[in-house]
Amino acid sequence: MVNITKDNFSLEQICKSGQCFRMFQESDNLYSVIAGNRYLEVEQQGNQCIFHCDDSEFDDFWKKYFDLDNDYAGYISRIDSADEYLVKAAAFGSGIRILHQDLWEMIVTFLISQQNNITRIRRCINNICERYGEAQMTPQGKTFYSFPKPESLSGLAEDALMECNLGYRSKYVVRTAGSIVSGDISLDDLANMSYPEARTELLKLYGVGGKVADCICLFALHHLQAFPIDTHINQALNGHYQNGFPNDRYDGYQGVMQQYIFYYELFNN
DNA sequence: ATACAGGTCTTAA
DNA sequence: TTAAGACCTGTA
């Protein structure tokens, strides 16, 4: 067990924020997270958190996964006080963190996310994990499924994932898996690229456009300057930033602001 | 019923 | 180069 005190950290907000679809609310204050072959349970009450793992696993993996060493209070403090909308949005979602998630998982997840809703995206991810992932066992004897590897999906018929409810996105995922397995696109190379390089490279994948590429850059590669523009963000831009979002002011961490806006647009009544 | 979800691709001017 | 249309499917 690892017990920490942390401000600007909310499991509830992270779970709802639509960046991770392998995090589940088990009860009021208890959440579970699957990342690769790892399974974690975390409890939170106020700013007190208990991670159900040992010190070394926390230090080696989960601390980075939850971006716990980053100064989110600092990001919030630098918000233009004249920007009432952003001030409110950041206050509303002040416990959000940009997670460090697996690159391949984020590619598939955000291929599936397009023209889709969060509830259904969760179901799609669960379906492909149960159908094509590997069954794993927690020390407590609970079964969970790992995320399927590219090799597990690349050989499928292009419409095979429609049985997992992916709809027309099935062929995007199957073809993209093929691009990875063939070596046409290298996950290792992507991980070592700058934001503009990685974004350009990701756009070569079938089904990946600008918005999905930005989500992958933000949630897997941790390029915090990525600013995915979807239908909700567009609405906010039209309503509050008719001269465009002030990227210069938030240079290098626009992605954090994007998450506050996205979360506010979705969940503020 | 009908519009809409964390869009992208294809085709036609 | 830009602009409509098509696309799976559950939810409200």
Side-chain angles (χ1 to χ4, degrees):
Chain A
M1 299 286 213
V2 175
N3 207 325
I4 67 164
T5 302
K6 202 74 192 175
D7 293 321
N8 296 107
F9 181 72
S10 163
L11 294 174
E12 181 194 356
Q13 290 178 11
I14 293 167
C15 189
K16 286 167 65 184
S17 67
Q19 52 176 308
C20 177
F21 297 89
R22 309 225 69 200
M23 183 167 176
F24 307 91
Q25 183 168 20
E26 302 290 345
S27 60
D28 275 0
N29 299 310
L30 179 67
Y31 293 80
S32 62
V33 190
I34 302 166
N37 291 328
R38 297 170 193 269
Y39 174 88
L40 175 76
E41 293 188 351
V42 206
E43 297 175 61
Q44 177 169 39
Q45 288 182 25
N47 60 2
Q48 302 294 306
C49 291
I50 303 170
F51 290 75
H52 293 229
C53 64
D54 61 30
D55 290 326
S56 66
E57 189 179 356
F58 178 77
D59 289 334
D60 295 346
F61 189 81
W62 295 110
K63 193 163 70 172
K64 179 180 177 186
Y65 180 87
F66 284 109
D67 208 22
L68 289 172
D69 284 339
N70 221 342
D71 179 17
Y72 283 77
Y75 294 139
I76 293 173
S77 73
R78 278 176 270 165
I79 292 174
D80 182 357
S81 59
D83 188 342
E84 293 177 28
Y85 173 77
L86 192 54
V87 168
K88 272 193 292 184
F92 185 74
S94 63
I96 295 172
R97 301 248 155 185
I98 310 293
L99 303 180
H100 283 71
Q101 297 184 79
D102 180 78
L103 177 55
W104 166 245
E105 294 189 20
M106 290 301 96
I107 291 172
V108 175
T109 296
F110 284 93
L111 276 173
I112 292 172
S113 76
Q114 61 183 86
Q115 201 65 12
N116 210 338
N117 61 64
I118 289 181
T119 308
R120 210 168 80 90
I121 297 166
R122 268 184 183 279
R123 273 195 46 217
C124 291
I125 302 293
N126 283 333
N127 288 343
I128 62 170
C129 289
E130 289 183 12
R131 176 71 179 78
Y132 295 102
E134 290 178 15
Q136 315 269 328
M137 189 88 81
T138 69
Q140 295 76 32
K142 181 176 173 180
T143 298
F144 67 97
Y145 291 87
S146 63
F147 202 94
K149 301 292 174 209
E151 293 78 11
S152 304
L153 303 177
S154 60
L156 301 177
E158 293 200 337
D159 62 352
L161 297 176
M162 294 184 82
E163 72 176 31
C164 295
N165 298 301
L166 298 214
Y168 66 86
R169 306 162 194 83
S170 175
K171 62 178 181 293
Y172 295 163
V173 173
V174 174
R175 276 203 220 175
T176 289
S179 298
I180 303 301
V181 170
S182 72
D184 200 12
I185 300 289
S186 159
L187 297 177
D188 290 336
D189 289 350
L190 276 167
N192 291 312
M193 289 178 186
S194 68
Y195 166 58
E197 290 170 336
R199 188 178 194 277
T200 302
E201 189 71 1
L202 285 165
L203 289 175
K204 297 177 183 171
L205 295 169
Y206 184 55
V208 174
K211 187 272 174 184
V212 168
D214 278 331
C215 285
I216 297 164
C217 285
L218 186 57
F219 301 130
L221 302 175
H222 212 69
H223 293 306
L224 298 185
Q225 66 268 53
F227 190 92
I229 297 177
D230 75 319
T231 163
H232 300 290
I233 296 296
N234 235 331
Q235 211 163 357
L237 293 178
N238 290 333
H240 305 280
Y241 299 99
Q242 311 219 337
N243 299 320
F245 188 76
N247 282 295
D248 291 345
R249 182 182 179 101
Y250 306 105
D251 188 32
Y253 58 102
Q254 301 97 312
V256 179
M257 301 300 134
Q258 189 272 4
Q259 280 300 277
Y260 295 144
I261 295 171
F262 178 77
Y263 187 80
Y264 189 65
E265 289 292 320
L266 232 62
F267 299 113
N268 177 45
N269 49 20

